[in-house]
Amino acid sequence: EPGPEPARTPPRYFLVQHLGAPDMVLSLYNDGATDPSLAPRYTYETESGLYAQAENPRFPAVTFDPGERLDSTFYTRKPPTSARMNELIGKQGGGGIVVSLAECLNRYGQVRAILADAEVRLPADPREVREWSLVMAVVGALNALDRDLVPEGGPEGSPEGDILVHGSGSYAVGDFDALSATELHRVDGVDDLRNVVLQATAL
């Protein structure tokens, strides 16, 4: 007769954000506070031409610009889900990390190879990437492992734990047809938006 099923451990969640919107990671480690002053300070290094910090391993070690906005679609400021995620991570375990463009470029070839095994195509040239969400998620997981921010293994007596990366957005040049100038409409206010919508629905 088969034995009893092993107890299932609830999933642990690990947040990955970028310097342009690190609010959920700040909130997680600062009792809900998201003030930008809570992030570590960066110092410009003339030898590398990068800004660096070694104060907080949950933030990028290096960046081209401490104020960079790597991806406009990846998270928002003060998201309403932050408090709930803090609660889940507090009960079930997990954590969070922030990544930079410099870190994503440094590991781009490695990430491209990892995603290819999952049949996800990234262009050979990172300049063709138009949404960095998935690249950031994988880089964040790799950095977290390197910095011992993710507990190794699963529950006691179980096989080594797996990390499941959420299939966030990823697309590049060639994955879509760009709009021509004649298909773009300038909108300066509510009235302009109304007119554009009415014209589109009248077609």
Side-chain angles (χ1 to χ4, degrees), residues 155-171:
E156 185 176 350
S158 72
E160 184 175 343
D162 292 325
I163 294 179
L164 175 65
V165 176
H166 182 274
S168 298
S170 176
Y171 65 90

PDB file of all heavy atoms in Angstrom, residues 155-171:
ATOM      1  N   PRO A 155      11.969  21.605   1.830  1.00  0.00           N
ATOM      2  CA  PRO A 155      11.731  21.278   3.229  1.00  0.00           C
ATOM      3  C   PRO A 155      12.624  20.129   3.668  1.00  0.00           C
ATOM      4  O   PRO A 155      13.142  19.366   2.855  1.00  0.00           O
ATOM      5  CB  PRO A 155      10.254  20.868   3.247  1.00  0.00           C
ATOM      6  CG  PRO A 155       9.678  21.428   2.001  1.00  0.00           C
ATOM      7  CD  PRO A 155      10.781  21.455   1.002  1.00  0.00           C
ATOM      8  N   GLU A 156      12.811  20.013   4.933  1.00  0.00           N
ATOM      9  CA  GLU A 156      13.674  18.958   5.476  1.00  0.00           C
ATOM     10  C   GLU A 156      13.220  17.583   4.977  1.00  0.00           C
ATOM     11  O   GLU A 156      12.044  17.235   5.031  1.00  0.00           O
ATOM     12  CB  GLU A 156      13.617  18.984   7.010  1.00  0.00           C
ATOM     13  CG  GLU A 156      14.578  18.001   7.656  1.00  0.00           C
ATOM     14  CD  GLU A 156      14.571  18.102   9.168  1.00  0.00           C
ATOM     15  OE1 GLU A 156      13.969  19.059   9.684  1.00  0.00           O
ATOM     16  OE2 GLU A 156      15.162  17.238   9.796  1.00  0.00           O
ATOM     17  N   GLY A 157      14.183  16.831   4.436  1.00  0.00           N
ATOM     18  CA  GLY A 157      13.881  15.488   3.956  1.00  0.00           C
ATOM     19  C   GLY A 157      13.353  15.446   2.537  1.00  0.00           C
ATOM     20  O   GLY A 157      13.087  14.378   2.009  1.00  0.00           O
ATOM     21  N   SER A 158      13.207  16.599   1.881  1.00  0.00           N
ATOM     22  CA  SER A 158      12.685  16.617   0.517  1.00  0.00           C
ATOM     23  C   SER A 158      13.821  16.888  -0.456  1.00  0.00           C
ATOM     24  O   SER A 158      14.898  17.320  -0.058  1.00  0.00           O
ATOM     25  CB  SER A 158      11.604  17.691   0.368  1.00  0.00           C
ATOM     26  OG  SER A 158      12.190  18.972   0.393  1.00  0.00           O
ATOM     27  N   PRO A 159      13.596  16.632  -1.757  1.00  0.00           N
ATOM     28  CA  PRO A 159      14.637  16.954  -2.735  1.00  0.00           C
ATOM     29  C   PRO A 159      14.911  18.450  -2.758  1.00  0.00           C
ATOM     30  O   PRO A 159      14.157  19.256  -2.228  1.00  0.00           O
ATOM     31  CB  PRO A 159      14.031  16.484  -4.062  1.00  0.00           C
ATOM     32  CG  PRO A 159      12.907  15.590  -3.697  1.00  0.00           C
ATOM     33  CD  PRO A 159      12.411  16.053  -2.361  1.00  0.00           C
ATOM     34  N   GLU A 160      16.003  18.817  -3.418  1.00  0.00           N
ATOM     35  CA  GLU A 160      16.354  20.228  -3.523  1.00  0.00           C
ATOM     36  C   GLU A 160      15.202  21.004  -4.149  1.00  0.00           C
ATOM     37  O   GLU A 160      14.571  20.563  -5.094  1.00  0.00           O
ATOM     38  CB  GLU A 160      17.611  20.384  -4.372  1.00  0.00           C
ATOM     39  CG  GLU A 160      18.106  21.821  -4.459  1.00  0.00           C
ATOM     40  CD  GLU A 160      19.412  21.923  -5.212  1.00  0.00           C
ATOM     41  OE1 GLU A 160      20.083  20.900  -5.381  1.00  0.00           O
ATOM     42  OE2 GLU A 160      19.743  23.053  -5.639  1.00  0.00           O
ATOM     43  N   GLY A 161      14.912  22.171  -3.597  1.00  0.00           N
ATOM     44  CA  GLY A 161      13.795  22.974  -4.087  1.00  0.00           C
ATOM     45  C   GLY A 161      14.061  23.559  -5.457  1.00  0.00           C
ATOM     46  O   GLY A 161      15.205  23.790  -5.847  1.00  0.00           O
ATOM     47  N   ASP A 162      12.993  23.769  -6.204  1.00  0.00           N
ATOM     48  CA  ASP A 162      13.087  24.380  -7.522  1.00  0.00           C
ATOM     49  C   ASP A 162      12.671  25.843  -7.428  1.00  0.00           C
ATOM     50  O   ASP A 162      11.910  26.237  -6.551  1.00  0.00           O
ATOM     51  CB  ASP A 162      12.166  23.673  -8.516  1.00  0.00           C
ATOM     52  CG  ASP A 162      12.616  22.258  -8.815  1.00  0.00           C
ATOM     53  OD1 ASP A 162      13.840  22.041  -8.841  1.00  0.00           O
ATOM     54  OD2 ASP A 162      11.745  21.393  -9.019  1.00  0.00           O
ATOM     55  N   ILE A 163      13.176  26.625  -8.365  1.00  0.00           N
ATOM     56  CA  ILE A 163      12.747  28.014  -8.505  1.00  0.00           C
ATOM     57  C   ILE A 163      11.941  28.115  -9.793  1.00  0.00           C
ATOM     58  O   ILE A 163      12.430  27.797 -10.871  1.00  0.00           O
ATOM     59  CB  ILE A 163      13.946  28.976  -8.549  1.00  0.00           C
ATOM     60  CG1 ILE A 163      14.679  28.958  -7.208  1.00  0.00           C
ATOM     61  CG2 ILE A 163      13.476  30.396  -8.888  1.00  0.00           C
ATOM     62  CD1 ILE A 163      15.899  29.859  -7.178  1.00  0.00           C
ATOM     63  N   LEU A 164      10.709  28.526  -9.661  1.00  0.00           N
ATOM     64  CA  LEU A 164       9.824  28.697 -10.809  1.00  0.00           C
ATOM     65  C   LEU A 164       9.762  30.180 -11.136  1.00  0.00           C
ATOM     66  O   LEU A 164       9.284  30.976 -10.326  1.00  0.00           O
ATOM     67  CB  LEU A 164       8.427  28.160 -10.489  1.00  0.00           C
ATOM     68  CG  LEU A 164       7.349  28.383 -11.559  1.00  0.00           C
ATOM     69  CD1 LEU A 164       7.691  27.607 -12.827  1.00  0.00           C
ATOM     70  CD2 LEU A 164       5.987  27.975 -11.027  1.00  0.00           C
ATOM     71  N   VAL A 165      10.266  30.555 -12.309  1.00  0.00           N
ATOM     72  CA  VAL A 165      10.250  31.958 -12.720  1.00  0.00           C
ATOM     73  C   VAL A 165       8.953  32.228 -13.471  1.00  0.00           C
ATOM     74  O   VAL A 165       8.639  31.550 -14.447  1.00  0.00           O
ATOM     75  CB  VAL A 165      11.462  32.285 -13.616  1.00  0.00           C
ATOM     76  CG1 VAL A 165      11.371  33.725 -14.126  1.00  0.00           C
ATOM     77  CG2 VAL A 165      12.758  32.085 -12.839  1.00  0.00           C
ATOM     78  N   HIS A 166       8.216  33.216 -12.996  1.00  0.00           N
ATOM     79  CA  HIS A 166       6.966  33.587 -13.642  1.00  0.00           C
ATOM     80  C   HIS A 166       7.239  34.056 -15.063  1.00  0.00           C
ATOM     81  O   HIS A 166       8.164  34.844 -15.314  1.00  0.00           O
ATOM     82  CB  HIS A 166       6.289  34.702 -12.834  1.00  0.00           C
ATOM     83  CG  HIS A 166       4.962  35.122 -13.387  1.00  0.00           C
ATOM     84  ND1 HIS A 166       4.822  36.060 -14.375  1.00  0.00           N
ATOM     85  CD2 HIS A 166       3.705  34.708 -13.085  1.00  0.00           C
ATOM     86  CE1 HIS A 166       3.548  36.235 -14.662  1.00  0.00           C
ATOM     87  NE2 HIS A 166       2.848  35.426 -13.892  1.00  0.00           N
ATOM     88  N   GLY A 167       6.453  33.576 -16.018  1.00  0.00           N
ATOM     89  CA  GLY A 167       6.649  33.916 -17.421  1.00  0.00           C
ATOM     90  C   GLY A 167       6.249  35.346 -17.731  1.00  0.00           C
ATOM     91  O   GLY A 167       5.259  35.593 -18.417  1.00  0.00           O
ATOM     92  N   SER A 168       7.012  36.295 -17.221  1.00  0.00           N
ATOM     93  CA  SER A 168       6.717  37.705 -17.432  1.00  0.00           C
ATOM     94  C   SER A 168       6.911  38.073 -18.898  1.00  0.00           C
ATOM     95  O   SER A 168       7.454  37.313 -19.690  1.00  0.00           O
ATOM     96  CB  SER A 168       7.634  38.565 -16.556  1.00  0.00           C
ATOM     97  OG  SER A 168       7.414  38.294 -15.193  1.00  0.00           O
ATOM     98  N   GLY A 169       6.513  39.274 -19.240  1.00  0.00           N
ATOM     99  CA  GLY A 169       6.575  39.722 -20.617  1.00  0.00           C
ATOM    100  C   GLY A 169       7.985  39.755 -21.180  1.00  0.00           C
ATOM    101  O   GLY A 169       8.952  40.039 -20.470  1.00  0.00           O
ATOM    102  N   SER A 170       8.090  39.450 -22.453  1.00  0.00           N
ATOM    103  CA  SER A 170       9.380  39.510 -23.140  1.00  0.00           C
ATOM    104  C   SER A 170       9.118  39.602 -24.639  1.00  0.00           C
ATOM    105  O   SER A 170       8.489  38.721 -25.214  1.00  0.00           O
ATOM    106  CB  SER A 170      10.214  38.262 -22.826  1.00  0.00           C
ATOM    107  OG  SER A 170      11.423  38.276 -23.557  1.00  0.00           O
ATOM    108  N   TYR A 171       9.572  40.668 -25.243  1.00  0.00           N
ATOM    109  CA  TYR A 171       9.498  40.748 -26.694  1.00  0.00           C
ATOM    110  C   TYR A 171      10.613  41.641 -27.202  1.00  0.00           C
ATOM    111  O   TYR A 171      11.204  42.425 -26.450  1.00  0.00           O
ATOM    112  CB  TYR A 171       8.122  41.229 -27.174  1.00  0.00           C
ATOM    113  CG  TYR A 171       7.751  42.635 -26.780  1.00  0.00           C
ATOM    114  CD1 TYR A 171       8.071  43.721 -27.597  1.00  0.00           C
ATOM    115  CD2 TYR A 171       7.045  42.880 -25.602  1.00  0.00           C
ATOM    116  CE1 TYR A 171       7.707  45.006 -27.253  1.00  0.00           C
ATOM    117  CE2 TYR A 171       6.674  44.171 -25.257  1.00  0.00           C
ATOM    118  CZ  TYR A 171       7.013  45.221 -26.080  1.00  0.00           C
ATOM    119  OH  TYR A 171       6.653  46.498 -25.728  1.00  0.00           O
TER     120      TYR A 171
END
